[in-house]
């Protein structure tokens, strides 16, 4: 016995989300069925507009609604420091510490030879272009403490080590293998202020 097709379609859509197995997807689909028409409409509109209304910032690659994001265009922020993060979620984690007032660069991944991801597959070239700006004095490598995150940080360091830019790495208060996104704000703020020059 199969569920009706509209429910099956919704179940298989929910199962594409991370951490959602069949059982949860079934529960979510039947819950959706009990939602008010207005809420379902808003839900589907949010999904449909998600990609349409967003684009990567032309400078830092952060996903936002403008060609240049509100961080890159904020004149009050310190443009001499660029904090390099793996993802938009990591950028948000850093912003939530309320301790960083410089600019960002979102790599959109890490170098991972095992998964066939090389330096050209992440937003590295544009970082090196930005590093040529004499206004840039420090680059903070805030990639995650995973083997790939460390490898990517070392790769960037090797390229920048013969320049005048100070390259720093957030301190290792963050346990190995953890994702910045899930580190509490205090720990992340401490790791940021205790960053070390490489
Ligand atoms: Zn930006």
């Amino acid at each position: 016995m199969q569920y009706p097709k509209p429910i099956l379609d919704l179940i298989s859509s929910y199962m594409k989300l991370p951490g959602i197995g069949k059982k949860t997807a079934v529960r979510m689909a039947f819950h959706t069925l009990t939602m008010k028409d207005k809420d379902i409409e808003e839900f589907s509109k949010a999904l449909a507009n998600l990609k349409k209304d967003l684009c990567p910032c032309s400078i830092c690659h952060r996903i936002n609604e403008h060609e240049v994001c509100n961080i890159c265009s904020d004149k009050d922020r310190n443009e001499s420091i660029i904090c390099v993060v793996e993802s938009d979620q990591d950028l948000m984690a850093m912003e939530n510490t309320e301790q960083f007032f410089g600019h960002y660069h979102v790599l959109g991944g890490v170098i991972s030879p095992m998964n066939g991801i090389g330096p050209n597959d992440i937003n590295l070239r544009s970082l090196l272009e930005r590093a040529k700006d004499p206004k840039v004095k420090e680059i903070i490598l805030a990639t995650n403490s995973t083997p790939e995150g460390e490898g990517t940080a070392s790769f960037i360091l090797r390229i920048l080590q013969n320049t005048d830019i100070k390259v720093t790495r957030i301190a290792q208060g963050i346990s190995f293998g953890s994702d910045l996104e899930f580190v509490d704000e205090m720990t992340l703020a401490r790791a940021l202020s205790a960053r070390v020059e490489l």
Side-chain angles (χ1 to χ4, degrees):
M1 183 83 169
Q2 288 267 33
Y3 291 118
K5 188 169 182 303
I7 293 185
L8 269 184
D9 288 348
L10 191 56
I11 292 170
S12 63
S13 293
Y14 280 138
M15 282 175 70
K16 293 192 175 114
L17 297 172
I20 306 291
K22 174 111 196 241
K23 233 166 120 181
T24 311
V26 168
R27 196 152 44 86
M28 286 165 73
F30 278 95
H31 175 80
T32 310
L33 204 54
T34 67
M35 282 162 64
K36 288 191 195 117
D37 286 356
K38 185 178 126 290
D39 290 339
I40 293 184
E41 207 175 297
E42 266 172 30
F43 189 25
S44 58
K45 207 157 49 171
L47 275 179
N49 290 343
L50 186 65
K51 284 212 162 173
K52 209 170 65 196
D53 295 342
L54 292 172
C55 62
C57 167
S58 60
I59 299 172
C60 72
H61 303 282
R62 176 182 168 224
I63 300 293
N64 82 116
E65 293 147 281
H66 309 284
E67 143 100 60
V68 174
C69 79
N70 61 349
I71 294 179
C72 289
S73 57
D74 186 346
K75 295 274 171 271
D76 290 332
R77 296 188 74 116
N78 184 349
E79 57 183 353
S80 71
I81 307 182
I82 297 175
C83 180
V84 179
V85 290
E86 290 180 20
S87 66
D88 283 84
Q89 296 96 304
D90 291 349
L91 182 154
M92 281 312 291
M94 207 53 101
E95 272 301 279
N96 288 337
T97 65
E98 298 181 0
Q99 301 293 318
F100 182 71
F101 308 104
H103 283 224
Y104 290 98
H105 192 87
V106 182
L107 291 174
V110 271
I111 300 168
S112 173
M114 286 230 315
N115 295 311
I117 303 169
N120 291 331
D121 300 315
I122 60 173
N123 301 320
L124 203 54
R125 200 184 296 265
S126 53
L127 172 68
L128 303 178
E129 280 304 314
R130 291 178 76 187
K132 287 181 189 159
D133 186 335
K135 284 192 287 245
V136 177
K137 304 288 180 215
E138 180 180 353
I139 288 186
I140 304 174
L141 300 173
T143 49
N144 293 323
S145 307
T146 55
E148 289 87 1
E150 295 294 347
T152 305
S154 313
F155 187 88
I156 298 172
L157 173 66
R158 272 203 304 278
I159 298 174
L160 294 174
Q161 65 188 355
N162 294 322
T163 65
D164 292 334
I165 295 173
K166 181 161 102 174
V167 182
T168 56
R169 178 95 175 101
I170 52 168
Q172 300 301 318
I174 295 170
S175 57
F176 191 78
S178 61
D179 217 317
L180 284 201
E181 187 192 341
F182 303 115
V183 175
D184 71 275
E185 285 142 31
M186 277 289 281
T187 308
L188 190 51
R190 226 178 297 131
L192 179 67
S193 70
R195 64 185 182 270
V196 287
E197 189 165 352
L198 298 172

